[in-house]
Amino acid sequence: MSSLNLVSGSTTCPIPFLSHATTTNTSVMFPTTNHIIFSTKPPFSSAFSVSALVTTANQEAIVIDKPTTTTFDFTTYMFRKADVVNKALDAAIPMKEPQKIHEAMRYSLLAGGKRVRPLLCIAACELVGGDEETALAAACAVEMIHTMSLIHDDLPCMDNDDLRRGKPTNHKAFGEDVAILAGDALLAFAFEHIAMSSKGVSPARIVRAIAELAKSVGSEGLVAGQIVDTHSEGLSDVGLERLEYIHVHKTAVLLEAAVVLGGLMGGGNDDQVEKLRLFARSIGLLFQVVDDILDVTKSSEQLGKTAGKDLVADKVTYPKLLGIEKSKEFAHKLNKDALQYLSGFDEEKAAPLVALANFIAYRQN
């Protein structure tokens, strides 16, 4: 069994976000041999690259290739796993009475998206010896909670956003009252789904997973980040420490929970789960740093949500405090740190998590 050594081969250049790339099937070469391919169709995989992609409601994709020593078709992996997750989400919440609330839940849950969190959960489970089916209920639960957070975050009393995943936000489509209740219902059902639908997992591990997920979304997790973020708008004395607190709690904790749940459901030991936690903590913060950068460098059409809203709301962000270039350098450091925590794991089994980390770092929306 080979082990993964990611430190010696890492690049030292900042992440090359491409604000000028405009056409599909375009390759841009960098001195470090990194290249990014923008495509609306799944590309052919190569024997020397890992590909990451974004699934959307109409099954288009943006593909990002990073050289690696592992022969692994990540494009096929990503499409297949995303399809499994989408079908599982569809089956988990069918249309039934009361139809209005279930329609609203399905509207946001099945609106497409990158499915990064459920894919991280499944990949972590497989890394420690579990399989897709073992992680699927937990993966779907995390995505339900993520969708709840988006519905509530878009409300007029919060971020007041009109666009999400290229569609009108839930409250624009169904009204504020229904949107709030749809989010509440997704949150509650997420825990029911783990408890009732997990397969091949011991009750003790299911209880640990439920506790981990509950903590990630509560008053010391996502809610903590949201409340501090809301009450930091317009303040002139918000520093890096407070900003990191907001991002770690508002965004990173749920990504961390997704990976940790995968490790737990897959039967990982305490040491393996802790390494996965540290990996996820780094990519969780990385996800939000990249989000901050994209918010000021991309259009609403490119993002599928309202661009520049943090600037309008006078929110503190990494580009605002550090500038664009320093923010890119920080994102590169977080990606490098994350990959170090996968050292020692089986190389082939770790390949999906490596590719997902690189996707998070190099994504364009």
Side-chain angles (χ1 to χ4, degrees), residues 15-22 289-303 305-311 317 319-320 323-325 327-328 361-365:
I15 294 174
F17 293 90
L18 300 179
S19 59
H20 59 274
T22 57
V289 175
V290 173
D291 233 31
D292 283 357
I293 295 168
L294 294 176
D295 188 63
V296 295
T297 59
K298 298 294 179 181
S299 67
S300 297
E301 183 179 3
Q302 289 171 311
L303 296 177
K305 60 183 179 180
T306 307
K309 63 179 182 179
D310 291 340
L311 185 64
T317 64
K320 185 175 181 179
I324 296 292
E325 292 307 315
S327 296
K328 291 177 183 178
Y362 289 86
R363 66 195 175 94
Q364 298 294 303
N365 69 0

Side-chain angles (χ1 to χ4, degrees), residues 98-135:
Q99 289 206 10
K100 179 62 69 175
I101 192 65
H102 289 97
E103 181 184 0
M105 292 164 71
R106 288 171 57 84
Y107 175 83
S108 293
L109 186 64
L110 304 179
K114 294 176 281 291
R115 305 303 190 206
V116 169
R117 291 156 190 83
L119 291 175
L120 283 168
C121 183
I122 293 170
C125 180
E126 292 174 335
L127 176 60
V128 298
D131 56 32
E132 179 184 281
E133 187 176 26
T134 304

Side-chain angles (χ1 to χ4, degrees), residues 319-339:
K320 185 175 181 179
L321 292 183
L322 299 178
I324 296 292
E325 292 307 315
K326 290 292 184 182
S327 296
K328 291 177 183 178
E329 291 174 10
F330 183 44
H332 170 69
K333 180 184 182 300
L334 288 169
N335 191 30
K336 180 180 177 181
D337 291 346
L339 296 181

Side-chain angles (χ1 to χ4, degrees), residues 56-319:
T56 63
N58 59 2
Q59 292 302 308
E60 291 183 346
I62 297 173
V63 179
I64 301 169
D65 284 352
K66 287 277 294 174
T68 182
T69 58
T70 302
T71 301
F72 175 61
D73 183 358
F74 189 67
T75 300
T76 299
Y77 177 92
M78 192 84 164
F79 269 115
R80 187 172 65 81
K81 297 296 186 186
D83 185 57
V84 169
V85 169
N86 287 331
K87 288 177 179 177
L89 290 170
D90 186 21
I93 303 179
M95 279 299 299
K96 56 184 177 181
E97 295 294 339
Q99 289 206 10
K100 179 62 69 175
I101 192 65
H102 289 97
E103 181 184 0
M105 292 164 71
R106 288 171 57 84
Y107 175 83
S108 293
L109 186 64
L110 304 179
K114 294 176 281 291
R115 305 303 190 206
V116 169
R117 291 156 190 83
L119 291 175
L120 283 168
C121 183
I122 293 170
C125 180
E126 292 174 335
L127 176 60
V128 298
D131 56 32
E132 179 184 281
E133 187 176 26
T134 304
L136 194 54
C140 289
V142 172
E143 188 68 5
M144 291 172 193
I145 290 179
H146 172 55
T147 302
M148 173 279 297
S149 74
L150 299 181
I151 294 173
H152 286 179
D153 199 42
D154 290 335
L155 288 167
C157 62
M158 302 294 280
D159 278 2
N160 192 24
D161 217 329
D162 297 340
L163 189 67
R164 175 69 67 178
R165 292 173 174 170
K167 298 171 59 176
T169 48
N170 198 287
H171 69 274
K172 284 294 181 180
F174 296 93
E176 290 180 43
D177 53 346
V178 175
I180 292 170
L181 293 172
D184 292 346
L186 284 168
L187 176 62
F189 185 68
F191 295 101
E192 178 185 341
H193 193 60
I194 291 183
M196 302 299 293
S197 300
S198 295
K199 298 178 181 179
V201 185
S202 70
R205 284 186 177 268
I206 293 175
V207 170
R208 285 181 64 186
I210 289 173
E212 182 78 29
L213 189 56
K215 184 177 181 180
S216 75
V217 75
S219 62
E220 295 181 351
L222 189 154
V223 171
Q226 187 71 64
I227 190 69
V228 175
D229 184 31
T230 301
H231 286 265
S232 296
E233 291 180 12
L235 298 181
S236 59
D237 59 345
V238 178
L240 283 172
E241 184 176 351
R242 187 180 182 93
L243 177 60
E244 183 170 321
Y245 180 93
I246 292 170
H247 284 347
V248 164
H249 289 78
K250 186 177 177 181
T251 302
V253 288
L254 195 54
L255 282 156
E256 180 181 325
V259 175
V260 170
L261 260 62
L264 289 173
M265 305 304 261
N269 60 43
D270 290 345
D271 182 60
Q272 290 173 323
V273 171
E274 184 59 25
K275 285 182 179 180
L276 286 171
R277 184 186 299 280
L278 294 173
F279 162 79
R281 197 166 292 171
S282 291
I283 63 168
L285 184 55
L286 169 65
F287 191 98
Q288 188 59 54
V289 175
V290 173
D291 233 31
D292 283 357
I293 295 168
L294 294 176
D295 188 63
V296 295
T297 59
K298 298 294 179 181
S299 67
S300 297
E301 183 179 3
Q302 289 171 311
L303 296 177
K305 60 183 179 180
T306 307
K309 63 179 182 179
D310 291 340
L311 185 64
V312 172
D314 198 21
K315 285 189 175 184
V316 63
T317 64
Y318 278 98

